[in-house]
Amino acid sequence: MLKTFYIQLLALIAILCYPINLSADDYSLAPSTGRKVYVPIHAKSAKGLLSITNYGRVTVKNFNYKLSHNGVVILEQKHIMKEALPRMGVATVEIDVPPHSQLSETELQVEITKVNGELNRATIPYANLPRATVTKVPRRRVVVEEYTGMWCKYCPRGIAVMENLEKNYPEDFIGIAIHISDPLKCTDYAWNASNIRNFPTLQMNRSRDLSSFIATNEFEEEKSMGADMDVDVSAQWDKQKTNITVTPRVTFRVSPKDGSYALAYVLTEDGMSKPTWSQNNIYSGDKSVLGISEEMNKFVNSPLVIKGLHNNFSAIAAKGVYTPAIEDYVKTPIEIDKVQSFKHVFDIAHNSLLQDKTKLKVCVLLINLSTKKIENAAKCIITDGSATGISAVEEGQNTVIELERYTLEGRRIHNPQKGINIVRYSDGSVRREIVTH
């Protein structure tokens, strides 16, 4: 009898305590260490990316957070979720991050204090958030080096990924197709290519391989990591159009902690094709990959052997992609906001791969020599060295027919865009033009 009483008493206590425990577990939102956020020193704030996980039982609609530096709270704010976060859900959110009072790299602490207006009960409600206060936020561009071959029946996957990234991210994607053992083989990439065992191999910034049929998520993750430096480039023909003078500029916005850096140069050509070239294609008629992307659909709807395929991003010449030259090393000590300029000349007078000079692009890669990764990059088309310079564009001014128009980054546009445009005309000239309206 006494035993039954105690069992009933314990059951009653459990029932009474259950709502209290449930309430304590309802609101549990934990942050993870955030990615470095670059904040202009004269801005009110910038958006930082923070990963959060909902360990509570209640769907998260909003949360309050505070940012601290050296124990001092610098910001308290409420964040409204764009989409409610269910139990065990993970999301990446943008939070406001104010600048430091001076150019610097600092470690902030972000703490989630409330969830849906209730006290956050997460065991670890805080995380670190690296912050770089800069004069200008560097623009990160992402390089994908595709090792491919016309003989490779699986390589249409890589071609489709490259074309899809170019379509979705024309200003920030830099594609380089390195052909192996086919008519477009680039000997300047031989050392890198010798390490490749599987085809296609697509390396993003030499830090991760792309193994799927689409890579937009990976691209956005890589781009969101930011960069410590800006890289820009311009290129110009000589009068005979046999030499291309490439002028890159590197400007660090944050002092690098360690490591050394150097530039590599790649000359690519789009639209390369010959009637005798054949691309093998195992995806012909493969409905399992139909609908993944428009670019992949093209191969599903093509034969097993494709004649006349246009090869874009094809590397036809390079320098320093395996071992950069001493003259292309970034000079040390590196000073913040100081521009370092370089120069390289591509002599293409006897380049056996070249087909169409008007479809060339110059790519410049900034390589971290310690990690071997590409930290940032830039691309451009080549302007006509015989042009009289930059001139304003007025309707009816040109006496020749305009064939193609590009931004400075090499993205093709179909109408004049305010700023500097690169225009190719029917007489073979390529000119910079300022569009003022």
PDB file of all heavy atoms in Angstrom, residues 195-220:
ATOM      1  N   ASN A 195      48.394  16.250 -62.239  1.00  0.00           N
ATOM      2  CA  ASN A 195      47.906  15.746 -60.956  1.00  0.00           C
ATOM      3  C   ASN A 195      46.449  15.297 -61.003  1.00  0.00           C
ATOM      4  O   ASN A 195      45.921  14.803 -60.010  1.00  0.00           O
ATOM      5  CB  ASN A 195      48.055  16.826 -59.878  1.00  0.00           C
ATOM      6  CG  ASN A 195      49.511  17.165 -59.622  1.00  0.00           C
ATOM      7  OD1 ASN A 195      50.362  16.277 -59.583  1.00  0.00           O
ATOM      8  ND2 ASN A 195      49.806  18.444 -59.443  1.00  0.00           N
ATOM      9  N   ILE A 196      45.793  15.491 -62.144  1.00  0.00           N
ATOM     10  CA  ILE A 196      44.367  15.168 -62.259  1.00  0.00           C
ATOM     11  C   ILE A 196      44.209  13.709 -62.677  1.00  0.00           C
ATOM     12  O   ILE A 196      44.821  13.247 -63.631  1.00  0.00           O
ATOM     13  CB  ILE A 196      43.680  16.098 -63.283  1.00  0.00           C
ATOM     14  CG1 ILE A 196      43.876  17.568 -62.877  1.00  0.00           C
ATOM     15  CG2 ILE A 196      42.202  15.768 -63.385  1.00  0.00           C
ATOM     16  CD1 ILE A 196      43.337  17.931 -61.523  1.00  0.00           C
ATOM     17  N   ARG A 197      43.335  13.001 -61.946  1.00  0.00           N
ATOM     18  CA  ARG A 197      43.108  11.586 -62.229  1.00  0.00           C
ATOM     19  C   ARG A 197      41.689  11.301 -62.719  1.00  0.00           C
ATOM     20  O   ARG A 197      41.446  10.283 -63.363  1.00  0.00           O
ATOM     21  CB  ARG A 197      43.394  10.751 -60.971  1.00  0.00           C
ATOM     22  CG  ARG A 197      44.856  10.812 -60.529  1.00  0.00           C
ATOM     23  CD  ARG A 197      45.754  10.135 -61.542  1.00  0.00           C
ATOM     24  NE  ARG A 197      47.185  10.248 -61.171  1.00  0.00           N
ATOM     25  CZ  ARG A 197      47.993  11.165 -61.641  1.00  0.00           C
ATOM     26  NH1 ARG A 197      47.535  12.066 -62.501  1.00  0.00           N
ATOM     27  NH2 ARG A 197      49.258  11.207 -61.266  1.00  0.00           N
ATOM     28  N   ASN A 198      40.731  12.151 -62.369  1.00  0.00           N
ATOM     29  CA  ASN A 198      39.340  11.937 -62.751  1.00  0.00           C
ATOM     30  C   ASN A 198      38.851  13.092 -63.617  1.00  0.00           C
ATOM     31  O   ASN A 198      39.202  14.250 -63.382  1.00  0.00           O
ATOM     32  CB  ASN A 198      38.460  11.818 -61.505  1.00  0.00           C
ATOM     33  CG  ASN A 198      38.859  10.664 -60.616  1.00  0.00           C
ATOM     34  OD1 ASN A 198      38.969   9.535 -61.073  1.00  0.00           O
ATOM     35  ND2 ASN A 198      39.093  10.943 -59.340  1.00  0.00           N
ATOM     36  N   PHE A 199      38.024  12.754 -64.606  1.00  0.00           N
ATOM     37  CA  PHE A 199      37.512  13.768 -65.526  1.00  0.00           C
ATOM     38  C   PHE A 199      36.003  13.663 -65.620  1.00  0.00           C
ATOM     39  O   PHE A 199      35.467  12.542 -65.723  1.00  0.00           O
ATOM     40  CB  PHE A 199      38.155  13.599 -66.905  1.00  0.00           C
ATOM     41  CG  PHE A 199      39.640  13.854 -66.903  1.00  0.00           C
ATOM     42  CD1 PHE A 199      40.529  12.829 -66.626  1.00  0.00           C
ATOM     43  CD2 PHE A 199      40.138  15.119 -67.147  1.00  0.00           C
ATOM     44  CE1 PHE A 199      41.891  13.051 -66.605  1.00  0.00           C
ATOM     45  CE2 PHE A 199      41.502  15.355 -67.135  1.00  0.00           C
ATOM     46  CZ  PHE A 199      42.389  14.320 -66.866  1.00  0.00           C
ATOM     47  N   PRO A 200      35.295  14.801 -65.567  1.00  0.00           N
ATOM     48  CA  PRO A 200      35.875  16.130 -65.374  1.00  0.00           C
ATOM     49  C   PRO A 200      36.228  16.353 -63.907  1.00  0.00           C
ATOM     50  O   PRO A 200      35.610  15.776 -63.014  1.00  0.00           O
ATOM     51  CB  PRO A 200      34.745  17.067 -65.797  1.00  0.00           C
ATOM     52  CG  PRO A 200      33.505  16.325 -65.408  1.00  0.00           C
ATOM     53  CD  PRO A 200      33.809  14.872 -65.682  1.00  0.00           C
ATOM     54  N   THR A 201      37.219  17.195 -63.658  1.00  0.00           N
ATOM     55  CA  THR A 201      37.512  17.707 -62.316  1.00  0.00           C
ATOM     56  C   THR A 201      37.325  19.209 -62.353  1.00  0.00           C
ATOM     57  O   THR A 201      37.930  19.895 -63.184  1.00  0.00           O
ATOM     58  CB  THR A 201      38.942  17.357 -61.888  1.00  0.00           C
ATOM     59  OG1 THR A 201      39.029  15.949 -61.643  1.00  0.00           O
ATOM     60  CG2 THR A 201      39.317  18.094 -60.611  1.00  0.00           C
ATOM     61  N   LEU A 202      36.473  19.701 -61.477  1.00  0.00           N
ATOM     62  CA  LEU A 202      36.220  21.138 -61.386  1.00  0.00           C
ATOM     63  C   LEU A 202      36.660  21.614 -60.016  1.00  0.00           C
ATOM     64  O   LEU A 202      36.110  21.188 -58.990  1.00  0.00           O
ATOM     65  CB  LEU A 202      34.740  21.468 -61.606  1.00  0.00           C
ATOM     66  CG  LEU A 202      34.202  21.311 -63.028  1.00  0.00           C
ATOM     67  CD1 LEU A 202      33.767  19.870 -63.286  1.00  0.00           C
ATOM     68  CD2 LEU A 202      33.035  22.251 -63.273  1.00  0.00           C
ATOM     69  N   GLN A 203      37.664  22.473 -59.987  1.00  0.00           N
ATOM     70  CA  GLN A 203      38.213  22.980 -58.733  1.00  0.00           C
ATOM     71  C   GLN A 203      37.803  24.435 -58.540  1.00  0.00           C
ATOM     72  O   GLN A 203      38.111  25.283 -59.382  1.00  0.00           O
ATOM     73  CB  GLN A 203      39.731  22.852 -58.717  1.00  0.00           C
ATOM     74  CG  GLN A 203      40.214  21.407 -58.757  1.00  0.00           C
ATOM     75  CD  GLN A 203      41.720  21.295 -58.767  1.00  0.00           C
ATOM     76  OE1 GLN A 203      42.442  22.261 -59.047  1.00  0.00           O
ATOM     77  NE2 GLN A 203      42.233  20.104 -58.457  1.00  0.00           N
ATOM     78  N   MET A 204      37.109  24.719 -57.445  1.00  0.00           N
ATOM     79  CA  MET A 204      36.676  26.078 -57.134  1.00  0.00           C
ATOM     80  C   MET A 204      37.697  26.739 -56.226  1.00  0.00           C
ATOM     81  O   MET A 204      37.890  26.322 -55.080  1.00  0.00           O
ATOM     82  CB  MET A 204      35.295  26.051 -56.465  1.00  0.00           C
ATOM     83  CG  MET A 204      34.765  27.420 -56.077  1.00  0.00           C
ATOM     84  SD  MET A 204      33.068  27.352 -55.413  1.00  0.00           S
ATOM     85  CE  MET A 204      32.146  27.164 -56.935  1.00  0.00           C
ATOM     86  N   ASN A 205      38.379  27.740 -56.766  1.00  0.00           N
ATOM     87  CA  ASN A 205      39.416  28.472 -56.032  1.00  0.00           C
ATOM     88  C   ASN A 205      40.492  27.546 -55.464  1.00  0.00           C
ATOM     89  O   ASN A 205      41.154  27.874 -54.488  1.00  0.00           O
ATOM     90  CB  ASN A 205      38.810  29.309 -54.910  1.00  0.00           C
ATOM     91  CG  ASN A 205      38.248  30.617 -55.425  1.00  0.00           C
ATOM     92  OD1 ASN A 205      38.501  31.017 -56.557  1.00  0.00           O
ATOM     93  ND2 ASN A 205      37.460  31.293 -54.608  1.00  0.00           N
ATOM     94  N   ARG A 206      40.626  26.354 -56.053  1.00  0.00           N
ATOM     95  CA  ARG A 206      41.597  25.354 -55.608  1.00  0.00           C
ATOM     96  C   ARG A 206      41.392  24.983 -54.144  1.00  0.00           C
ATOM     97  O   ARG A 206      42.341  24.561 -53.456  1.00  0.00           O
ATOM     98  CB  ARG A 206      43.032  25.830 -55.855  1.00  0.00           C
ATOM     99  CG  ARG A 206      43.326  26.098 -57.325  1.00  0.00           C
ATOM    100  CD  ARG A 206      44.751  26.468 -57.600  1.00  0.00           C
ATOM    101  NE  ARG A 206      44.937  26.750 -59.020  1.00  0.00           N
ATOM    102  CZ  ARG A 206      46.073  27.190 -59.565  1.00  0.00           C
ATOM    103  NH1 ARG A 206      47.135  27.374 -58.800  1.00  0.00           N
ATOM    104  NH2 ARG A 206      46.151  27.432 -60.857  1.00  0.00           N
ATOM    105  N   SER A 207      40.157  25.124 -53.674  1.00  0.00           N
ATOM    106  CA  SER A 207      39.859  24.805 -52.277  1.00  0.00           C
ATOM    107  C   SER A 207      38.795  23.732 -52.134  1.00  0.00           C
ATOM    108  O   SER A 207      38.664  23.124 -51.084  1.00  0.00           O
ATOM    109  CB  SER A 207      39.408  26.062 -51.529  1.00  0.00           C
ATOM    110  OG  SER A 207      38.216  26.581 -52.080  1.00  0.00           O
ATOM    111  N   ARG A 208      37.996  23.483 -53.197  1.00  0.00           N
ATOM    112  CA  ARG A 208      36.989  22.427 -53.152  1.00  0.00           C
ATOM    113  C   ARG A 208      36.674  21.954 -54.558  1.00  0.00           C
ATOM    114  O   ARG A 208      36.781  22.713 -55.524  1.00  0.00           O
ATOM    115  CB  ARG A 208      35.714  22.900 -52.461  1.00  0.00           C
ATOM    116  CG  ARG A 208      34.954  23.977 -53.233  1.00  0.00           C
ATOM    117  CD  ARG A 208      33.518  24.125 -52.720  1.00  0.00           C
ATOM    118  NE  ARG A 208      33.451  24.904 -51.502  1.00  0.00           N
ATOM    119  CZ  ARG A 208      32.312  25.158 -50.860  1.00  0.00           C
ATOM    120  NH1 ARG A 208      31.177  24.684 -51.319  1.00  0.00           N
ATOM    121  NH2 ARG A 208      32.313  25.888 -49.776  1.00  0.00           N
ATOM    122  N   ASP A 209      36.316  20.668 -54.652  1.00  0.00           N
ATOM    123  CA  ASP A 209      35.931  20.086 -55.936  1.00  0.00           C
ATOM    124  C   ASP A 209      34.412  20.135 -56.087  1.00  0.00           C
ATOM    125  O   ASP A 209      33.675  19.957 -55.112  1.00  0.00           O
ATOM    126  CB  ASP A 209      36.407  18.633 -56.036  1.00  0.00           C
ATOM    127  CG  ASP A 209      37.911  18.516 -56.216  1.00  0.00           C
ATOM    128  OD1 ASP A 209      38.557  19.550 -56.476  1.00  0.00           O
ATOM    129  OD2 ASP A 209      38.441  17.394 -56.076  1.00  0.00           O
ATOM    130  N   LEU A 210      33.958  20.382 -57.309  1.00  0.00           N
ATOM    131  CA  LEU A 210      32.534  20.413 -57.609  1.00  0.00           C
ATOM    132  C   LEU A 210      32.175  19.096 -58.288  1.00  0.00           C
ATOM    133  O   LEU A 210      32.636  18.823 -59.392  1.00  0.00           O
ATOM    134  CB  LEU A 210      32.204  21.596 -58.521  1.00  0.00           C
ATOM    135  CG  LEU A 210      32.621  22.980 -57.988  1.00  0.00           C
ATOM    136  CD1 LEU A 210      32.291  24.054 -59.014  1.00  0.00           C
ATOM    137  CD2 LEU A 210      31.952  23.278 -56.660  1.00  0.00           C
ATOM    138  N   SER A 211      31.350  18.298 -57.620  1.00  0.00           N
ATOM    139  CA  SER A 211      31.078  16.952 -58.123  1.00  0.00           C
ATOM    140  C   SER A 211      29.639  16.755 -58.562  1.00  0.00           C
ATOM    141  O   SER A 211      29.275  15.661 -58.982  1.00  0.00           O
ATOM    142  CB  SER A 211      31.412  15.921 -57.039  1.00  0.00           C
ATOM    143  OG  SER A 211      30.671  16.185 -55.852  1.00  0.00           O
ATOM    144  N   SER A 212      28.822  17.795 -58.491  1.00  0.00           N
ATOM    145  CA  SER A 212      27.415  17.660 -58.848  1.00  0.00           C
ATOM    146  C   SER A 212      27.157  18.233 -60.243  1.00  0.00           C
ATOM    147  O   SER A 212      28.079  18.629 -60.953  1.00  0.00           O
ATOM    148  CB  SER A 212      26.537  18.358 -57.808  1.00  0.00           C
ATOM    149  OG  SER A 212      25.173  18.093 -58.054  1.00  0.00           O
ATOM    150  N   PHE A 213      25.867  18.286 -60.620  1.00  0.00           N
ATOM    151  CA  PHE A 213      25.478  18.794 -61.937  1.00  0.00           C
ATOM    152  C   PHE A 213      25.169  20.282 -61.908  1.00  0.00           C
ATOM    153  O   PHE A 213      24.895  20.886 -62.943  1.00  0.00           O
ATOM    154  CB  PHE A 213      24.255  18.023 -62.450  1.00  0.00           C
ATOM    155  CG  PHE A 213      24.555  16.611 -62.829  1.00  0.00           C
ATOM    156  CD1 PHE A 213      24.534  15.603 -61.877  1.00  0.00           C
ATOM    157  CD2 PHE A 213      24.894  16.274 -64.131  1.00  0.00           C
ATOM    158  CE1 PHE A 213      24.813  14.291 -62.217  1.00  0.00           C
ATOM    159  CE2 PHE A 213      25.179  14.962 -64.483  1.00  0.00           C
ATOM    160  CZ  PHE A 213      25.143  13.965 -63.515  1.00  0.00           C
ATOM    161  N   ILE A 214      25.176  20.867 -60.726  1.00  0.00           N
ATOM    162  CA  ILE A 214      24.936  22.297 -60.580  1.00  0.00           C
ATOM    163  C   ILE A 214      25.687  22.762 -59.340  1.00  0.00           C
ATOM    164  O   ILE A 214      25.878  21.982 -58.402  1.00  0.00           O
ATOM    165  CB  ILE A 214      23.414  22.593 -60.483  1.00  0.00           C
ATOM    166  CG1 ILE A 214      23.124  24.055 -60.836  1.00  0.00           C
ATOM    167  CG2 ILE A 214      22.850  22.198 -59.130  1.00  0.00           C
ATOM    168  CD1 ILE A 214      21.654  24.300 -61.141  1.00  0.00           C
ATOM    169  N   ALA A 215      26.161  23.987 -59.327  1.00  0.00           N
ATOM    170  CA  ALA A 215      27.055  24.406 -58.238  1.00  0.00           C
ATOM    171  C   ALA A 215      26.734  25.806 -57.727  1.00  0.00           C
ATOM    172  O   ALA A 215      27.622  26.497 -57.232  1.00  0.00           O
ATOM    173  CB  ALA A 215      28.507  24.341 -58.718  1.00  0.00           C
ATOM    174  N   THR A 216      25.478  26.217 -57.832  1.00  0.00           N
ATOM    175  CA  THR A 216      25.135  27.574 -57.389  1.00  0.00           C
ATOM    176  C   THR A 216      25.297  27.739 -55.881  1.00  0.00           C
ATOM    177  O   THR A 216      25.750  28.787 -55.416  1.00  0.00           O
ATOM    178  CB  THR A 216      23.701  27.930 -57.811  1.00  0.00           C
ATOM    179  OG1 THR A 216      22.812  26.895 -57.385  1.00  0.00           O
ATOM    180  CG2 THR A 216      23.603  28.081 -59.317  1.00  0.00           C
ATOM    181  N   ASN A 217      24.928  26.727 -55.100  1.00  0.00           N
ATOM    182  CA  ASN A 217      25.079  26.828 -53.644  1.00  0.00           C
ATOM    183  C   ASN A 217      26.542  26.948 -53.248  1.00  0.00           C
ATOM    184  O   ASN A 217      26.913  27.780 -52.409  1.00  0.00           O
ATOM    185  CB  ASN A 217      24.443  25.627 -52.948  1.00  0.00           C
ATOM    186  CG  ASN A 217      22.932  25.639 -53.007  1.00  0.00           C
ATOM    187  OD1 ASN A 217      22.317  26.686 -53.214  1.00  0.00           O
ATOM    188  ND2 ASN A 217      22.316  24.489 -52.840  1.00  0.00           N
ATOM    189  N   GLU A 218      27.382  26.104 -53.856  1.00  0.00           N
ATOM    190  CA  GLU A 218      28.808  26.156 -53.552  1.00  0.00           C
ATOM    191  C   GLU A 218      29.405  27.502 -53.956  1.00  0.00           C
ATOM    192  O   GLU A 218      30.244  28.055 -53.246  1.00  0.00           O
ATOM    193  CB  GLU A 218      29.542  25.026 -54.281  1.00  0.00           C
ATOM    194  CG  GLU A 218      29.201  23.640 -53.791  1.00  0.00           C
ATOM    195  CD  GLU A 218      28.017  23.021 -54.505  1.00  0.00           C
ATOM    196  OE1 GLU A 218      27.220  23.760 -55.115  1.00  0.00           O
ATOM    197  OE2 GLU A 218      27.889  21.791 -54.446  1.00  0.00           O
ATOM    198  N   PHE A 219      28.952  28.015 -55.100  1.00  0.00           N
ATOM    199  CA  PHE A 219      29.456  29.309 -55.570  1.00  0.00           C
ATOM    200  C   PHE A 219      29.101  30.413 -54.579  1.00  0.00           C
ATOM    201  O   PHE A 219      29.952  31.242 -54.224  1.00  0.00           O
ATOM    202  CB  PHE A 219      28.878  29.623 -56.947  1.00  0.00           C
ATOM    203  CG  PHE A 219      29.444  30.878 -57.580  1.00  0.00           C
ATOM    204  CD1 PHE A 219      30.521  30.793 -58.444  1.00  0.00           C
ATOM    205  CD2 PHE A 219      28.912  32.123 -57.295  1.00  0.00           C
ATOM    206  CE1 PHE A 219      31.062  31.937 -59.014  1.00  0.00           C
ATOM    207  CE2 PHE A 219      29.437  33.268 -57.858  1.00  0.00           C
ATOM    208  CZ  PHE A 219      30.520  33.174 -58.719  1.00  0.00           C
ATOM    209  N   GLU A 220      27.865  30.442 -54.145  1.00  0.00           N
ATOM    210  CA  GLU A 220      27.426  31.499 -53.234  1.00  0.00           C
ATOM    211  C   GLU A 220      28.129  31.397 -51.884  1.00  0.00           C
ATOM    212  O   GLU A 220      28.462  32.415 -51.273  1.00  0.00           O
ATOM    213  CB  GLU A 220      25.907  31.444 -53.073  1.00  0.00           C
ATOM    214  CG  GLU A 220      25.176  31.879 -54.347  1.00  0.00           C
ATOM    215  CD  GLU A 220      23.666  31.772 -54.227  1.00  0.00           C
ATOM    216  OE1 GLU A 220      23.184  31.390 -53.144  1.00  0.00           O
ATOM    217  OE2 GLU A 220      22.977  32.069 -55.220  1.00  0.00           O
TER     218      GLU A 220
END
